């Protein structure tokens, strides 16, 4: 019985975290940052491609039992990444600013996240990531050492945040891809 429960937990964990949980490397260098910047730059096209031929009824199905719908995941990405972009700008212009967390689950439960056409968020993500990538590519190593203070996580330097958000985008695209594979889409 314990083995079956463990296998079910492992399966549920794989559905929730198809690329695994984020683990920041002990040491982050310029190559890591360059790779993560490219992942952030490429996310909008990857997301658009992953949802390209889904029907509205598909978008309103959860990617896993108890999870958000595909539509909510798509709308969540620009919500989350706008917050991160703002945190980067605050950390670059203030000395360790204390940022305000937001209730992402409550944001995903708002009517626009549940019903709005996804193209709105795909366009928003494209514009946001274009701007964010310009900022990221202009930053020096010293600027990536700047940090903000998260009330729950403590001090977060910008290179850690960069790695987290590069993972975050890949994580959600992988959830949608897993949903498609599990439902045997084209």
């Amino acid at each position: 019985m314990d083995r079956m429960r463990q296998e079910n937990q492992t399966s549920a964990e794989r559905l929730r975290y198809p690329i695994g949980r984020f683990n920041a490397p002990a040491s982050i260098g310029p190559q890591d940052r360059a790779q993560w910047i490219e992942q952030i730059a490429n996310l909008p096209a990857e997301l658009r491609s992953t949802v390209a031929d889904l029907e509205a009824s598909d978008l309103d199905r959860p990617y896993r039992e108890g999870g958000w719908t595909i539509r909510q995941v798509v709308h969540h990405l620009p919500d989350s990444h706008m917050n991160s972009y703002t945190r980067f700008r605050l950390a670059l212009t203030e000395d360790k600013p204390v940022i305000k967390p937001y209730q992402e689950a409550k944001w995903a439960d708002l009517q626009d996240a549940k019903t709005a056409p996804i193209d709105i968020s795909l366009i928003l993500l494209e514009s946001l990531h274009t701007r964010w990538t310009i900022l990221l590519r202009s930053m020096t190593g010293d600027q990536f050492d700047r940090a903000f203070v998260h009330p729950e996580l403590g001090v977060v330097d910008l290179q850690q945040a960069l790695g987290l958000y590069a993972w975050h985008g890949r994580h959600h695209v992988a959830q949608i891809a897993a949903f498609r594979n599990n439902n045997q889409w084209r």
Side-chain angles (χ1 to χ4, degrees):
M1 186 65 145
D2 285 336
R3 181 177 165 90
M4 186 180 299
R5 186 176 316 130
Q6 187 177 23
E7 287 175 6
N8 286 340
Q9 287 175 337
T10 302
S11 178
E13 182 80 0
R14 276 194 305 270
L15 286 174
R16 189 167 183 188
Y17 297 100
I19 63 169
R21 291 179 183 263
F22 175 70
N23 290 309
S27 175
I28 300 170
Q31 289 178 328
D32 297 308
R33 291 192 302 264
Q35 179 182 4
W36 293 335
I37 291 169
E38 288 311 304
Q39 290 170 353
I40 286 175
N42 295 331
L43 174 65
E46 291 171 6
L47 179 62
R48 187 176 283 281
S49 174
T50 304
V51 299
D53 57 351
L54 292 176
E55 301 292 328
S57 60
D58 301 328
L59 296 173
D60 293 327
R61 293 174 56 197
Y63 72 92
R64 66 174 173 84
E65 189 174 328
W68 291 339
T69 66
I70 301 301
R71 184 182 309 275
Q72 287 171 298
V73 171
V74 171
H75 291 311
H76 162 72
L77 279 163
D79 288 346
S80 174
H81 290 203
M82 280 189 293
N83 275 282
S84 182
Y85 174 68
T86 299
R87 292 169 183 177
F88 268 73
R89 294 181 66 78
L90 288 169
L92 288 168
T93 59
E94 299 176 23
D95 186 30
K96 290 188 183 165
V98 177
I99 58 93
K100 183 179 183 328
Y102 73 105
Q103 303 277 329
E104 67 179 33
K106 288 182 179 180
W107 283 37
D109 203 36
L110 293 172
Q111 202 59 30
D112 65 324
K114 291 171 122 180
T115 63
I118 63 168
D119 203 47
I120 295 168
S121 283
L122 293 172
I123 292 167
L124 179 57
L125 192 70
E126 288 165 353
S127 296
L128 172 63
H129 276 238
T130 297
R131 179 95 183 263
W132 195 8
T133 300
I134 291 168
L135 176 67
L136 293 170
R137 288 180 176 151
S138 75
M139 290 173 59
T140 65
D142 287 344
Q143 287 177 311
F144 277 105
D145 289 334
R146 295 188 62 86
F148 57 82
V149 178
H150 190 291
E152 297 160 5
L153 304 175
V155 176
V156 179
D157 69 45
L158 293 182
Q159 58 190 353
Q160 292 171 324
L162 175 64
L164 174 63
Y165 279 87
W167 168 87
H168 184 254
R170 292 186 352 267
H171 160 72
H172 284 304
V173 168
Q175 286 174 331
I176 297 167
F179 168 83
R180 293 177 67 105
N181 291 337
N182 290 339
N183 290 286
Q184 300 176 339
W185 260 268
R186 323 169 251 294

